[in-house]
């Protein structure tokens, strides 16, 4: 418990963080991505991106382990590994930006990137051509940079993979498996740069169960709910997260 209290977060901030984790987990469990677009901007507004970003990595990495075996069976492993090659280059670039840029600058950049990526998803645009190895690797590089700096590498990957004739079950499996690999890459880089600390792990113990509940509920919704309706809800949550997490509103948060 002392490790959690040493984060200097108030009770209200911790309660807010738990609510954000539940919402992010719901999106992750249903679609295989989307948690960071909700969690990172909002959590960064109360603890800064250098804590919020690695916190999500730890929590998501632990609480989504159960999704990986099924993804391994269903995924196009060759495509996933090709994309991971690009991420090997992109992740260190993103982590370097996270370590060196001013926290407020990072938060504004995260809001801007979230808005752009959300617009991409909502536009319905998808890559319609056959996947090519070099392009797959480039998408992995871009997603790796976004993951390293803010854990928001999902939309480029989704826009690339969702446009073809591949069944949604395989696309979802590809996304889950790719981000399992990306998690290992990011965790290595964060550990090397001292971003994963005892204090952060203590906070993860508090957040992880609620996030895991959200992932479980979201996974059940994937088989029960109408996909179009739930995705619209996710888009609304992401847009709201980007809006209320703007540094412009920090004074209103007390």
């Amino acid at each position: 418990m002392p490790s959690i209290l040493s984060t200097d977060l108030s009770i209200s901030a911790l309660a807010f963080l738990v609510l954000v984790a539940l919402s992010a987990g719901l999106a992750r469990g249903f679609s295989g991505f989307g948690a960071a677009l909700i969690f990172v901007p909002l959590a960064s507004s109360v603890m800064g991106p250098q804590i919020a970003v690695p916190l999500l990595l730890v929590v998501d990495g632990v609480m989504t382990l159960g999704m990986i075996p099924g993804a391994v069976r269903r995924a196009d492993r060759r495509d996933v590994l090709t994309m991971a090659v690009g991420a090997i280059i992109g992740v260190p670039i993103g982590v370097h930006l996270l370590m060196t840029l001013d926290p407020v600058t990072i938060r504004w950049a995260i809001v801007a990137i979230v808005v752009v990526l959300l617009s991409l998803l909502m536009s319905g645009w998808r890559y319609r051509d056959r996947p090519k190895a070099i392009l797959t690797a480039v998408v992995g590089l871009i997603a790796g940079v976004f993951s390293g700096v803010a854990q928001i590498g999902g939309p480029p990957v989704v826009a690339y993979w969702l446009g073809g004739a591949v069944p949604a079950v395989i696309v979802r499996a590809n996304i889950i498996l790719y981000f399992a690999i990306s998690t290992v890459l990011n965790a290595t880089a964060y550990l090397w740069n001292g971003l994963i600390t005892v204090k952060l792990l203590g906070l993860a113990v508090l957040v992880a169960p609620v996030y895991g509940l959200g992932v479980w509920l979201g996974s059940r919704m994937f088989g029960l709910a109408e996909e179009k309706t739930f995705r619209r809800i996710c888009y609304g949550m992401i847009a709201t997260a980007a809006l209320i997490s703007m540094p412009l509103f920090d004074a209103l948060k007390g």
Side-chain angles (χ1 to χ4, degrees):
M1 196 64 178
S3 61
I4 295 173
L5 294 177
S6 64
T7 60
D8 296 326
L9 293 177
S10 65
I11 297 299
S12 60
L14 285 172
F16 174 73
L17 187 63
V18 167
L19 180 60
V20 169
L22 178 63
S23 302
L26 282 169
R28 176 71 155 98
F30 182 85
S31 65
F33 80 104
L37 293 172
I38 295 170
F39 185 89
V40 171
L42 290 173
S44 294
S45 71
V46 297
M47 62 176 54
Q50 284 87 354
I51 298 176
V53 173
L55 174 61
L56 178 64
L57 177 82
V58 172
V59 170
D60 183 77
V62 172
M63 299 312 297
T64 58
L65 286 174
M67 300 170 71
I68 296 174
V72 172
R73 292 192 299 270
R74 298 184 181 95
D76 182 337
R77 293 186 288 275
R78 181 176 180 178
D79 241 16
V80 172
L81 291 176
T82 301
M83 188 168 286
V85 170
I88 291 174
I89 301 172
V91 165
I93 297 173
V95 175
H96 175 73
L97 294 174
L98 178 63
M99 293 290 297
T100 57
L101 293 179
D102 175 74
V104 175
T105 300
I106 294 174
R107 287 177 57 199
W108 276 116
I110 289 171
V111 169
I113 293 171
V114 167
V115 169
V116 170
L117 295 181
L118 177 60
S119 299
L120 174 65
L121 290 174
M122 293 181 66
S123 72
W125 182 89
R126 300 290 184 264
Y127 176 76
R128 304 295 181 184
D129 205 350
R130 292 176 61 86
K132 299 177 177 64
I134 184 64
L135 185 56
T136 301
V138 169
V139 172
L141 188 152
I142 295 170
V145 173
F146 288 173
S147 292
V149 73
Q151 292 298 298
I152 51 177
V157 175
V158 173
Y160 180 67
W161 267 332
L162 205 60
V166 181
V169 172
I170 295 178
V171 171
R172 182 174 179 269
N174 284 355
I175 294 168
I176 292 170
L177 181 57
Y178 167 75
F179 281 106
I181 298 172
S182 176
T183 294
V184 174
L185 297 175
N186 278 279
T188 302
Y190 290 163
L191 282 167
W192 180 264
N193 288 279
L195 289 172
I196 297 178
T197 64
V198 173
K199 293 179 182 179
L200 185 135
L201 293 177
L203 189 55
V205 169
L206 178 66
V207 173
V210 181
Y211 182 81
L213 175 62
V215 170
W216 180 77
L217 291 173
S219 296
R220 290 182 64 84
M221 290 177 182
F222 179 72
L224 299 175
E226 184 179 345
E227 185 170 344
K228 182 183 293 186
T229 300
F230 192 84
R231 286 188 182 278
R232 286 175 178 170
I233 293 172
C234 287
Y235 293 157
M237 292 168 64
I238 293 167
T240 301
L243 176 64
I244 66 179
S245 65
M246 288 182 179
L248 183 68
F249 300 123
D250 283 356
L252 300 178
K253 298 170 187 174

